[in-house]
Amino acid sequence: MSDKPSVLFVCVHNAGRSQMAAGWLRHFAADTVEVRSAGSAPAETVNPAAVEAMREVGIDITDQTPKLLEYATAESSDVIVTMGCGDTCPVFPGKRYEDWKLDDPAGKGVDAVRPIRDEIRARVEKLLTELRPTV
């Protein structure tokens, strides 16, 4: 059992928003937070525009793969952040939830993904300041 908090980012395909959020949190928190991401209907690969947008800011998410949201992963997470996936994301009692309304980068080019990336960065930074007292 780990003493560090765990954060699970969830979006339907686990290919864009949740992968960028996980990349930002890994970047800012290093090993002080356990970072997870998953989706209710994972895609085959991470969105190439999301990969490129993150590469532009020095964060490499090329080693990430979309993962299926599993009950045990959510159950063992301290914070669950859903990203515009609505009713497809299950609710687990006793967890801290945040629902981040963000545009879906699916099918968009890197120019359209940059503002989404930057909004996610701001939200991850805020979340991390809230987690810091326990880190």
Side-chain angles (χ1 to χ4, degrees), residues 74-92:
E75 174 125 77
S76 63
S77 297
D78 297 310
V79 179
I80 299 173
V81 179
T82 57
M83 307 184 129
C85 54
D87 294 337
T88 61
C89 293
V91 174
F92 296 89

Side-chain angles (χ1 to χ4, degrees), residues 9 16-30 35-37 54 57-61 64 120 124:
F9 295 104
R17 295 167 288 189
S18 56
Q19 292 289 352
M20 289 189 287
W24 280 119
L25 188 54
R26 279 191 298 272
H27 175 74
F28 290 129
V35 180
R36 306 165 173 179
S37 70
M54 293 301 284
V57 294
I59 298 172
D60 183 5
I61 60 171
Q64 300 302 306
I120 291 170
V124 166

Side-chain angles (χ1 to χ4, degrees), residues 27-125:
H27 175 74
F28 290 129
D31 64 352
T32 63
V33 175
E34 185 175 350
V35 180
R36 306 165 173 179
S37 70
S40 55
E44 298 270 328
T45 60
V46 175
N47 179 332
V51 170
E52 179 57 28
M54 293 301 284
R55 181 179 294 130
E56 290 176 354
V57 294
I59 298 172
D60 183 5
I61 60 171
T62 57
D63 64 340
Q64 300 302 306
T65 56
K67 294 170 263 334
L68 180 64
L69 175 61
E70 297 190 9
Y71 183 89
T73 302
E75 174 125 77
S76 63
S77 297
D78 297 310
V79 179
I80 299 173
V81 179
T82 57
M83 307 184 129
C85 54
D87 294 337
T88 61
C89 293
V91 174
F92 296 89
K95 302 295 172 189
R96 174 179 168 186
Y97 269 86
E98 293 193 18
D99 185 32
W100 295 355
K101 303 286 188 217
L102 298 160
D103 290 337
D104 188 350
K108 296 180 178 164
V110 72
D111 288 340
V113 174
R114 285 184 191 112
I116 300 167
R117 173 203 65 202
D118 296 343
E119 175 66 19
I120 291 170
R121 176 187 177 148
R123 292 177 187 224
V124 166
E125 288 178 317

